Amino acid sequence: MVEQQVASARCVPEAEKVPLADAPGRILAEPIAADRDYPPFDRATRDGYAVRGAETPGRLRVIGQVRAGQEFGGTVGLGEAVEIMTGAPMPAGADAVIMVEYTRREGEAVVLERGVRAGENVVPKGSEAGGGVVAMGPGRRLDYPEIALLASFGREAVRVYRRPRVAILSTGDEVVEIGETPRSFQIRNSNAWSLAVQVRRAGGEPVVLPIAPDERTRTRELVELGLECDLLLLSGGVSMGQYDLVEAVLAELGAEFYFDGVLIQPGKPLVFGRARGRFFFGLPGNPLSTMVTFEVFARTAVELLGGAESAPLRLGQARLAADFRHKTGLTRFLPAALEGSYAEVVVHPVKWQGSGDVVSLARSNCFLVAAADREEWKAGDWIAVLPR
């Protein structure tokens, strides 16, 4: 639902040119074409001898050597071979490389102990990308492989989409700023700062607004201010309590509500809609609920508004370290810890005290995702996990 609504309504973001060093994490805004053939020559992939495949196995005369960064000036003729290193360009006349492990040097000759086919251990010129061919298009998030490609193509700067500005508005008289000393019935505004991190990781630019009190006029002023950004995230005030004003204020502003609840825990009272041409999410106020609903729903909107071509929820799989069960009916996202390495990685839930327990979440490194229609898993069963 979120991806469909945002994708159908979004406009192409503005683009800007940034140095390659500032491009990681940004969304590409232009097609990237190869500036020449890649590789620019037939490239050896093994240390050995460049030969004519039809002449193998056998005994050949070695007429020279070529390594990466050099060219061989001659041509490999009948009965001849050139010693070659990985990454070097193939000499004219040769069509294969026999690995050094299958050869025996005898003075100026080499004995080939097995045959090779034409093209074996050789990457042909232009096989990775031909000159002028588009290798990467707009909408791609730039990570280290993409940066390597841009650098290989000689791009010192690249056009990327402007980061969407995402307003973050915490609500409620029980919330105070993090620099204040809370009274016994108050909590510090951790949600705004955890959301700011999540927004940045999703490619957005967070704009943290002042806390909205449980008072309609001031809440409306701050909601209107938030709707001047590309996306508004509200934390708290979306349940059915007497002082939960968010939905009423949004309705006054002509909001269209796409949904106002989801079948997950934590995070069931989630609101998604649009007002004054801007999308908004009303996230639950408990910290874990806020974090989970952002990752599962709001992150998609941030990425799409930033120009990403798609924004799938990236779930993994891990084996359970112990038996696990839960009550069916809701998909549950529970703090969990991945432990081990390589094929021995296992996951186990972290003991927690409900969706306000930030301490337990800080001890975890992922969320275990328990499907709504399954009641129990045995130790060693595969189960979904949401990375943090």
Side-chain angles (χ1 to χ4, degrees):
M1 166 68 81
V2 172
E3 186 158 4
Q4 293 173 343
Q5 291 290 346
V6 176
S8 65
R10 64 175 175 168
C11 298
V12 177
E14 297 177 2
E16 58 183 353
K17 197 168 188 176
V18 300
L20 193 61
D22 296 334
R26 303 296 296 273
I27 303 297
L28 184 64
E30 63 173 321
I32 302 298
D35 62 319
R36 60 175 180 168
D37 289 338
Y38 286 87
F41 48 81
D42 294 338
R43 184 179 66 210
T45 62
R46 296 288 189 274
D47 292 341
Y49 292 87
V51 299
R52 296 169 180 256
E55 292 191 289
T56 64
R59 179 186 176 91
L60 302 174
R61 183 168 63 92
V62 179
I63 62 171
Q65 182 189 81
V66 62
R67 58 182 173 82
Q70 290 183 337
E71 286 185 323
F72 183 74
T75 299
V76 176
L78 292 173
E80 295 177 337
V82 169
E83 187 177 9
I84 194 166
M85 310 303 169
T86 301
M90 289 291 290
D95 60 16
V97 172
I98 182 169
M99 295 168 61
V100 69
E101 292 93 326
Y102 303 117
T103 68
R104 186 176 72 254
R105 190 68 180 262
E106 294 183 350
E108 295 184 356
V110 61
V111 177
L112 315 180
E113 298 174 342
R114 54 153 286 187
V116 288
R117 302 181 307 275
E120 192 168 339
N121 298 321
V122 177
V123 178
K125 176 183 178 179
S127 59
E128 297 170 359
V133 170
V134 174
M136 188 165 54
R140 185 76 167 267
R141 183 175 295 280
L142 300 176
D143 206 341
Y144 59 89
E146 292 78 14
I147 297 299
L149 180 68
L150 290 163
S152 297
F153 288 3
R155 300 295 298 267
E156 296 182 298
V158 63
R159 290 183 63 78
V160 296
Y161 291 122
R162 178 183 63 81
R163 290 189 178 99
R165 296 177 70 245
V166 180
I168 298 171
L169 176 58
S170 296
T171 68
D173 288 340
E174 75 278 16
V175 183
V176 299
E177 300 294 354
I178 61 174
E180 296 183 30
T181 301
R183 301 175 70 180
S184 60
F185 52 84
Q186 293 178 316
I187 57 174
R188 293 188 176 95
N189 186 16
S190 65
N191 284 353
W193 300 100
S194 63
L195 281 172
V197 174
Q198 290 177 287
V199 166
R200 285 193 184 277
R201 286 175 50 181
E205 190 67 39
V207 179
V208 178
L209 300 177
I211 297 167
D214 290 327
E215 190 276 312
R216 185 181 296 262
T217 300
R218 180 56 176 160
T219 296
R220 175 170 175 145
E221 290 175 355
L222 290 168
V223 168
E224 289 181 303
L225 183 62
L227 290 173
E228 294 178 5
C229 291
D230 299 296
L231 177 68
L232 170 61
L233 303 178
L234 301 116
S235 172
V238 295
S239 62
M240 301 301 292
Q242 180 180 356
Y243 294 100
D244 292 334
L245 306 174
V246 170
E247 286 193 68
V249 167
L250 289 166
E252 290 177 3
L253 298 174
E256 177 183 4
F257 295 91
Y258 301 127
F259 58 76
D260 60 4
V262 289
L263 296 177
I264 70 171
Q265 186 188 41
K268 188 175 179 181
L270 171 70
V271 175
F272 173 54
R274 196 177 186 197
R276 297 189 174 180
R278 296 289 190 269
F279 290 103
F280 62 82
F281 286 90
L283 308 176
N286 282 327
L288 270 69
S289 300
T290 301
M291 297 175 198
V292 167
T293 50
F294 179 91
E295 288 300 318
V296 178
F297 297 97
R299 179 190 56 80
T300 294
V302 177
E303 292 192 13
L304 292 175
L305 291 170
E309 56 187 350
S310 64
L313 182 64
R314 297 173 177 88
L315 295 177
Q317 291 278 325
R319 291 189 185 276
L320 277 164
D323 294 351
F324 172 78
R325 61 185 296 122
H326 81 132
K327 184 178 179 181
T328 58
L330 298 175
T331 300
R332 288 181 169 81
F333 294 79
L334 308 175
L338 286 167
E339 296 181 347
S341 60
Y342 299 103
E344 303 302 320
V345 172
V346 295
V347 64
H348 62 85
V350 171
K351 186 178 180 181
W352 66 314
Q353 303 301 321
S355 57
D357 187 356
V358 179
V359 176
S360 293
L361 184 63
R363 296 192 184 109
S364 71
N365 56 22
C366 69
F367 292 101
L368 182 150
V369 185
D373 57 355
R374 182 170 174 177
E375 185 174 9
E376 63 180 296
W377 289 256
K378 297 295 184 183
D381 285 350
W382 290 99
I383 195 166
V385 293
L386 177 65
R388 272 201 9 229

